[in-house]
Amino acid sequence: NAGVTQTPKFRVLKTGQSMTLLCAQDMNHEYMYWYRQDPGMGLRLIHYSVGEGTTAKGEVPDGYNVSRLKKQNFLLGLESAAPSQTSVYFCASSLRGVRGGTEAFFGQGTRLTVV
Amino acid sequence: EDQVTQSPEALRLQEGESSSLNCSYTVSGLRGLFWYRQDPGKGPEFLFTLYSAGEEKEKERLKATLTKKESFLHITAPKPEDSATYLCAVQTLNTGNQFYFGTGTSLTVIP
């Protein structure tokens, strides 16, 4: 049982290049999330999905696109990378809670540097 | 606007010196408050969920409590391996299933 797996773990991009980050979860969770983490800013939500085929914007969606074609996968795309997108990216997933929210499980992160 | 504030930003403790971390929140209807631990270079690891004021959860040297305005993470007789960044997050009626995080408290426990 791998939990949440992110690929790649590290990447260096040149300004203007594109790339896709892949997140896969094997826990049959309905909800999936993409966060970025920057020093002093904490974790900020980029996009999220409440089920297969659905996506929604979070706090900082500009410059990113996402897709959830299969329940277990959530892809984060950068069409034209900018130095401001240098960050550590985390994917997470959670179940749909009955009483309230249920905890999110996180991947190990992708460290992206845009030069 | 929903807000989550953690204090202090950083905390250094001697091994065995108990203390508390604070997470204060101003939200319109709390659905759940979550505590996570994050080690350098790794993703956040879930610790506790609290739903209602007065609720408490414990795990080893950690105890989380919740009031209507804030949550505390009490660390009793900490060990060096407790050194990490501790994050709190909320889900609210406004945010639905989204988690909104505070900026964390970096804890260092000195042997």
Side-chain angles (χ1 to χ4, degrees):
Chain A
N1 190 343
V4 179
T5 303
Q6 293 182 231
T7 52
K9 291 184 170 50
F10 302 93
R11 185 73 186 267
V12 178
L13 282 181
K14 293 183 178 179
T15 298
Q17 286 185 321
S18 63
M19 78 164 294
T20 300
L21 281 67
L22 172 64
C23 177
Q25 54 95 4
D26 60 4
M27 296 173 284
N28 202 33
H29 285 172
E30 293 90 351
Y31 302 143
M32 296 187 75
Y33 314 84
W34 276 107
Y35 287 89
R36 61 178 288 173
Q37 188 173 40
D38 303 290
M41 302 290 290
L43 283 157
R44 291 182 293 168
L45 184 65
I46 304 171
H47 285 282
Y48 66 101
S49 168
V50 300
E52 182 178 319
T54 73
T55 63
K57 294 180 180 180
E59 298 173 88
V60 289
D62 294 343
Y64 305 95
N65 56 76
V66 288
S67 65
R68 187 143 179 227
L69 299 179
K70 293 182 179 181
K71 186 177 183 179
Q72 63 268 32
N73 295 337
F74 196 28
L75 278 64
L76 178 70
L78 286 73
E79 291 186 348
S80 179
S84 60
Q85 294 177 305
T86 294
S87 187
V88 181
Y89 292 85
F90 288 100
C91 176
S93 69
S94 69
L95 285 168
R96 178 189 304 141
V98 175
R99 175 181 179 181
T102 64
E103 66 271 20
F105 294 85
F106 283 80
Q108 290 300 294
T110 296
R111 184 173 296 276
L112 175 67
T113 302
V114 183
V115 297
Chain B
E1 181 180 318
D2 296 336
Q3 286 192 336
V4 179
T5 304
Q6 290 189 248
S7 62
E9 288 187 13
L11 182 63
R12 289 172 64 90
L13 298 174
Q14 290 292 132
E15 184 172 0
E17 179 187 3
S18 301
S19 188
S20 297
L21 313 182
N22 178 264
C23 172
S24 64
Y25 60 92
T26 307
V27 300
S28 54
L30 182 72
R31 295 183 69 215
L33 187 141
F34 304 81
W35 281 99
Y36 286 84
R37 169 190 172 128
Q38 187 175 23
D39 293 301
K42 296 192 175 182
E45 176 186 347
F46 170 73
L47 293 173
F48 304 109
T49 307
L50 301 166
Y51 293 108
S52 307
E55 193 173 356
E56 300 182 350
K57 296 274 180 74
E58 281 189 74
K59 180 180 178 181
E60 297 181 354
R61 294 177 293 282
L62 300 177
K63 179 180 178 180
T65 62
L66 182 66
T67 73
K68 290 186 178 180
K69 294 183 178 181
E70 57 193 348
S71 177
F72 291 95
L73 185 65
H74 306 279
I75 303 176
T76 302
K79 297 182 178 182
E81 53 262 43
D82 294 323
S83 297
T85 295
Y86 291 86
L87 304 169
C88 78
V90 298
Q91 283 185 333
T92 75
L93 294 178
N94 279 343
T95 64
N97 299 295
Q98 303 166 53
F99 296 83
Y100 281 90
F101 283 81
T103 53
T105 294
S106 176
L107 174 66
T108 303
V109 181
I110 305 162

